[in-house]
Amino acid sequence: MKATPGMYFGAFPAADWPLVIAAWTAADLLRLAEDEPRVDLVLHRDGALSATVRGARVTAPAADPQRPLADVIRAGMWYTELARSTTVDTAPPTTPALTDGHYVWTALTVTVHSELEGSLFGTPASQWWRDGVPRLRAVLATPRHRPPDGHRVHVTDETTGETAVLQGRRP
């Protein structure tokens, strides 16, 4: 069976695929949030995106050798393969606890920065975030991408300065 973009992006047009990737990134970071389920998402003017969660908790099966924390986080983000580059930064530097056969890192700030692969979308990077905040709101309003109740995505469009807090709510 041949993979088609619709398998990943659903009914969204190619122009919205970068926003779907932003929604996936926000969802993955929200899953790491312990106390305050909030992700700060920035749509950069050059077409990149950044997402940050504070107070994160990351767990991974204990392995020998221990994998770097950034690799543990990135391993759950298959869609980073659709980017030219993705960096995962964590702070503060910490040694995980070993609990019940798992490494556990807590009280982290995790930032993911992705430089998306432009040839995938068929539109220039300068167009990806045009009307980005309302278009992302529409993506996050769909059942497939809606954040859980009480979870928030604080989005900023770097080009226009527009910001919004998008929250998970049942329709």
Side-chain angles (χ1 to χ4, degrees), residues 41-114:
L41 182 68
V42 178
L43 309 175
H44 294 283
R45 64 179 47 90
D46 65 359
L49 69 91
S50 296
T52 300
V53 64
R54 289 167 185 76
R57 180 177 199 265
V58 178
T59 62
D64 189 27
Q66 178 183 332
R67 294 186 321 176
L69 178 55
D71 291 351
V72 171
I73 295 166
R74 189 181 296 106
M77 303 174 140
W78 66 268
Y79 50 86
T80 61
E81 296 298 319
L82 303 176
R84 278 193 315 270
S85 69
T86 298
T87 57
V88 177
D89 294 314
T90 60
T94 183
T95 302
L98 184 57
T99 307
D100 297 324
H102 285 82
Y103 293 123
V104 180
W105 294 266
T106 58
L108 297 170
T109 296
V110 177
T111 300
V112 175
H113 182 85
S114 290

Side-chain angles (χ1 to χ4, degrees), residues 20-44:
V20 172
I21 292 171
W24 289 332
T25 304
D28 281 341
L29 290 184
L30 281 169
R31 281 191 271 284
L32 302 178
E34 270 199 308
D35 299 326
E36 183 186 358
R38 171 189 165 147
V39 168
D40 295 319
L41 182 68
V42 178
L43 309 175
H44 294 283

Side-chain angles (χ1 to χ4, degrees), residues 114-131:
S114 290
E115 302 281 338
L116 301 179
E117 178 53 62
S119 63
L120 177 69
F121 310 120
T123 57
S126 62
Q127 303 267 323
W128 295 347
W129 310 133
R130 186 176 35 84
D131 299 322

